[in-house]
Every structure is written in structure tokens, then in C-alpha cells.
Amino acid sequence: MNKRRLGKTELKVSEVGFGSWRLGKSDFWEPMADKDAHDIVHAAIDNGCNLFDTAPNYSDTNSERLLGEALKGKRDDIVLVSKIGHVPHGGADFSPDWMWKSLEASLKRLQTDYLDVYLLHSPPDEVQDGANPIWDALREAQKQGKIRHYGASVDSAHQMNRCLNSSDPQVLEVLFNVLHQDTRLAFDNVRKNDVGIITKVPLDSGWLGGKYDASSTFTGVRGRWTKEQIARRAELVSQLSWLTEDGSTLPQKALAYLLSYQEVCSVIPGAKNTKQL
């Protein structure tokens, strides 16, 4: 596994990290036994992954708990990323008071004294602005050693630039894949500020995994897609068939495309079992 420097943090992270949204039991996904979750994490480590991304609302706090259990004795070798903003069981709260409570709860579940990276989780416009008091709270948490670096998880170049131009994020987690390329329009600003980039949803929620088409049906969180959206995605994916004429797979090419950008430090696809991993 190749590693890259995570911007000015100087952390060395695996080019392929592990997105932990599907880790554990959730109303969104089929049940996952604790042992199976532990096995997936251990398999990821065995294959060279050292960056693990989670959040309190992933699987109703179970993602953090399971990661904490699976990473016992391995913490010093891992770059651990969690978030603030989405409240477990629904809602959002970006107040400093909630941040401190949420941070302490995350540290307890993850069985660690610190987080390597702490991100504002899809913050609204007013929270992206550096004048919001949450940014001072992040700096104080960094000063206390509870977090090493901070930033935000956002979906567009406009949001990236708002954070970069008004505050001092060291890491940004961004929506970037073959079908959603808007965020790369902020990469000049990323280089200027030497910010580490983690790319979320790199396989577009499975569409770039090569298993969906216009006839696919979905339940759970993916049930939000309309028939029109499914048809549009299927049409776009069908235009990528030339990428695999050399015998490679669509997921391989989709991840390789993201990693062809020097600004991208790690991609974080998820996995529901060791075979998929």
C-alpha cells in the first residue's frame, strides 16, 4: 500500500483508506455482527489501510464503538478521523457546547485519548464561515491535545473555498468521484493552503462498483433515488465501458482516477464484508 502526506499535517496515510459508515447495525443496512465488523477492520489493516473514517451518527454510534474495539493495541499505527455535527439518532448541532460533549463521547467509544483528524460534518453555510464559534472550539480542542488536526467534510468547490478562505482547516473531506467532479475546481486553493484531501463516496454509492444498471432497485438509504436519477446514473456509467477494455475493473479505474490527482491523499470506499473489502 502506497502512502501519501496528508497536507500540512505531515501524517502519512494509505492511498486507500476505510470508510466506516456501514460498520455495525443500522436501520439503513442489513445487520452486521460485531465479530464480522472486527474482521473487516483487521482485514483492512492487513491489506495496508491505516486511515479509518467514522462519525458518531454512523450506525447509531456503533461504527465508532466497533472501531475502538477492533483497533485495540493498534492505535499508534492508525490515522483516526471522526466528525462533529450530525447527532446520533437524527438532527444536527454545531454548537461548541455540543462539540465538547460529542468529542468526549467519540473518544470514549473509540477507546483513545485523541483523534488525528476532527471534521465538521456537512456544515451549513454559516458554520463553514471561519467567524462561527465552532472554529475557535476546534482550535481549543487541538490546543488541549484531544484532536491533532481539524477541518470539514463538504460537497462542493464553493463550500471548500468558503472554509479555506475564511478559516484554517488542515484537512478537507470532499465528495469527489468520476460522476461528481465539482470539488476539483477548488484544488488550486487546496495546493495554496497545503490542505490534505480525503475523498468520500469515491465509488458513487456503488454505481462505480459496476453492479448497478437502469433496472436496479434500491431500499434503505439508497431508496432516496428517483427513477429519473437511477436512469441518469445508469446512462453515465454505461459511457465508461471503454475504461475497462484493458481487463481492469470499473472500481479500480474509478479509484485510480481520483489518485491521479496529487491533491488527493486518500480515498475511502466502504465495505460490508471482507470479500467486498
Side-chain angles (χ1 to χ4, degrees), residues 47-61:
N47 280 280
C49 293
N50 79 335
L51 186 148
F52 288 82
D53 175 89
T54 186
N57 63 309
Y58 291 175
S59 298
D60 298 328
T61 73

Side-chain angles (χ1 to χ4, degrees), residues 144-166:
Q144 292 184 19
K146 295 183 182 294
I147 62 175
R148 296 178 67 185
H149 310 284
Y150 56 82
S153 175
V154 294
D155 296 341
S156 71
H158 179 70
Q159 293 169 344
M160 293 171 68
N161 285 326
R162 182 185 283 118
C163 291
L164 290 166
N165 295 337
S166 68

Side-chain angles (χ1 to χ4, degrees), residues 19-164:
S20 304
W21 187 21
R22 300 195 67 164
L23 205 63
K25 300 174 182 177
S26 169
D27 292 339
F28 290 141
W29 313 113
E30 60 270 23
M32 178 186 290
D34 286 6
K35 182 183 182 304
D36 293 337
H38 297 158
D39 288 346
I40 295 172
V41 173
H42 293 157
I45 294 172
D46 290 344
N47 280 280
C49 293
N50 79 335
L51 186 148
F52 288 82
D53 175 89
T54 186
N57 63 309
Y58 291 175
S59 298
D60 298 328
T61 73
N62 283 303
S63 174
E64 287 187 329
R65 173 182 64 83
L66 290 162
L67 268 182
E69 294 168 358
L71 295 176
K72 264 186 191 175
K74 306 175 187 293
R75 177 66 183 93
D76 292 345
D77 301 321
I78 298 302
V79 175
L80 200 49
V81 181
S82 194
K83 307 181 186 76
I84 168 64
H86 289 190
V87 178
H89 315 300
D93 190 338
F94 290 91
S95 68
D97 285 346
W98 174 248
M99 189 210 79
W100 289 110
K101 294 175 184 176
S102 182
L103 176 57
E104 291 298 336
S106 289
L107 293 174
K108 184 176 181 180
R109 286 189 291 265
L110 288 162
Q111 302 187 40
T112 185
D113 296 327
Y114 69 96
L115 293 172
D116 295 288
V117 180
Y118 200 43
L119 301 174
L120 301 176
H121 198 175
S122 302
D125 291 353
E126 65 273 14
V127 178
Q128 296 163 23
D129 193 297
N132 190 283
I134 192 65
W135 291 96
D136 282 337
L138 290 171
R139 294 184 191 99
E140 179 59 27
Q142 184 184 50
K143 183 179 177 181
Q144 292 184 19
K146 295 183 182 294
I147 62 175
R148 296 178 67 185
H149 310 284
Y150 56 82
S153 175
V154 294
D155 296 341
S156 71
H158 179 70
Q159 293 169 344
M160 293 171 68
N161 285 326
R162 182 185 283 118
C163 291
L164 290 166

Side-chain angles (χ1 to χ4, degrees), residues 161-181:
N161 285 326
R162 182 185 283 118
C163 291
L164 290 166
N165 295 337
S166 68
S167 194
D168 58 344
Q170 296 104 56
V171 177
L172 290 174
E173 184 172 297
V174 304
L175 174 62
F176 182 30
N177 62 51
V178 173
L179 303 183
H180 296 273
Q181 300 192 30

Side-chain angles (χ1 to χ4, degrees), residues 201-272:
V201 204
L203 298 179
D204 199 50
S205 299
W207 278 98
L208 295 170
K211 61 181 180 178
Y212 299 150
D213 58 31
S215 64
S216 298
T217 57
F218 303 93
T219 58
V221 68
R222 291 189 172 107
R224 70 187 185 281
W225 292 328
T226 65
K227 290 182 178 179
E228 291 75 18
Q229 289 171 330
I230 292 172
R232 176 60 175 155
R233 273 186 162 94
E235 176 192 357
L236 291 171
V237 171
S238 70
Q239 295 176 27
L240 301 175
S241 60
W242 61 275
L243 282 172
T244 59
E245 290 175 354
D246 61 358
S248 61
T249 67
L250 185 57
Q252 287 172 333
K253 283 293 172 62
L255 297 184
Y257 170 71
L258 301 180
L259 291 168
S260 72
Y261 285 86
Q262 64 178 10
E263 296 82 6
V264 172
C265 307
S266 184
V267 299
I268 51 169
K272 63 182 180 180

